[in-house]
Amino acid sequence: MERKIRILVVEDEAPIRNGLMDVLVYHGYEVDEAADGPTGLEKSLTGTFDLILLDIMLPGLDGYEICNRIRSRDREQPIIMLTAKTSDEDIIQGLSLGADDYIAKPFSVAQLVLRIQAVLRRSRIGVDMEHHIRLGDGIEVDTRNLCGCRGQETLSFTRREVEILQYLSANSERPVSRDELLSKLWGYSRSMDIETRTVDIHIAKLRRKIEPIPSAPRHLVTVRGAGYRLLPG
Ligand code: CA
């Protein structure tokens, strides 16, 4: 029998936590829970979870810090942050710590399940895709280990950054629109302002890593009115 997918829910508000657990169990997932920051961190680091749903405002230790601590140990752990905060600054901070996605509270059950499925699907697809991407200027990306080099310089990437590079690399003959990236990688069915910004934030972060001059990209270029294109080396 196939192993059940395990999800950890880190959320201090009991009604939300219990609601999430009910939904996840109903959809066939095996679920564990933590009601405060320290318990969430301990379970995250000692257990094996296919996905962690992580609230931001938690007693004891906040979700940003937990995400940071998980990432310093495990760059591949899929994490979705649950947030009531929606200001851009919060989103930028969360993404820079390497969360795979965000869900803003209140969220619909259907939306939640779709986003969970998308993150889980990507974390499996990633395993089967090309393991090395080579660009000009001596840039090489090791997609399995989320690292790379640019000449003598060592680079590290988040899972989502690598997925963007893989997707653009697999479609390098054409520009890829933000909507397509949102749909294929994030699992969104339609774009909204905040989500389009999410793509741009990731592209900007990637350019700071792979472009000798981020403001004048040569590898990850913008095609006006069409989207982004990765030029093979
Ligand atoms: Ca909370």
Side-chain angles (χ1 to χ4, degrees):
M1 200 178 89
E2 203 179 328
R3 179 181 77 85
K4 272 194 178 182
I5 292 171
R6 286 175 53 82
I7 298 180
L8 175 64
V9 176
V10 185
E11 165 67 67
D12 58 315
E13 287 168 71
I16 298 180
R17 188 176 66 249
N18 293 333
L20 281 169
M21 301 206 22
D22 287 348
V23 166
L24 296 173
V25 168
Y26 175 81
H27 281 86
Y29 300 114
E30 193 177 306
V31 190
D32 197 356
E33 66 186 303
D36 60 62
T39 309
L41 179 65
E42 202 219 315
K43 288 195 175 183
S44 299
L45 295 180
T46 56
T48 304
F49 299 100
D50 299 282
L51 174 69
I52 297 173
L53 293 180
L54 183 57
D55 187 25
I56 291 179
M57 300 300 287
L58 291 163
L61 197 62
D62 72 26
Y64 293 129
E65 180 61 23
I66 295 173
C67 183
N68 203 4
R69 303 268 283 272
I70 294 170
R71 277 286 170 267
S72 70
R73 291 264 293 264
D74 180 356
R75 303 185 54 78
E76 304 213 10
Q77 172 68 58
I79 299 170
I80 296 179
M81 296 199 100
L82 306 172
T83 176
K85 297 173 148 196
T86 51
S87 83
D88 289 349
E89 203 170 300
D90 293 324
I91 289 172
I92 291 166
Q93 182 177 5
L95 291 174
S96 70
L97 293 176
D100 294 271
D101 204 354
Y102 262 86
I103 298 180
K105 292 187 267 191
F107 42 78
S108 76
V109 167
Q111 186 192 26
L112 173 76
V113 171
L114 281 175
R115 304 278 273 281
I116 288 173
Q117 288 170 344
V119 167
L120 291 171
R121 194 165 55 239
R122 285 196 309 272
S123 73
R124 283 191 295 263
I125 289 172
V127 172
D128 302 327
M129 288 182 77
E130 204 186 340
H131 294 316
H132 287 274
I133 297 171
R134 285 178 186 83
L135 306 170
D137 294 328
I139 297 162
E140 193 168 324
V141 180
D142 175 346
T143 60
R144 236 182 326 197
N145 297 308
L146 306 181
C147 62
C149 57
R150 192 176 81 199
Q152 300 298 313
E153 195 183 344
T154 306
L155 305 172
S156 68
F157 299 93
T158 64
R159 166 176 287 283
R160 180 53 57 83
E161 288 167 353
V162 159
E163 288 166 359
I164 292 170
L165 290 176
Q166 284 177 311
Y167 192 81
L168 293 177
S169 173
N171 296 280
S172 62
E173 73 289 351
R174 63 179 177 91
V176 176
S177 70
R178 292 186 182 91
D179 281 352
E180 180 173 344
L181 287 172
L182 283 168
S183 142
K184 300 288 184 189
L185 300 183
W186 274 262
Y188 291 121
S189 54
R190 65 190 170 83
S191 70
M192 283 155 41
D193 287 349
I194 194 80
E195 294 159 357
T196 303
R197 270 186 56 79
T198 299
V199 174
D200 297 341
I201 291 165
H202 278 90
I203 295 288
K205 285 179 59 201
L206 271 170
R207 281 178 172 158
R208 285 200 290 277
K209 294 178 183 180
I210 66 172
E211 296 288 351
I213 306 170
S215 58
R218 291 196 297 203
H219 309 294
L220 208 180
V221 300
T222 301
V223 181
R224 268 184 83 108
Y228 296 109
R229 190 173 166 207
L230 192 67
L231 303 177

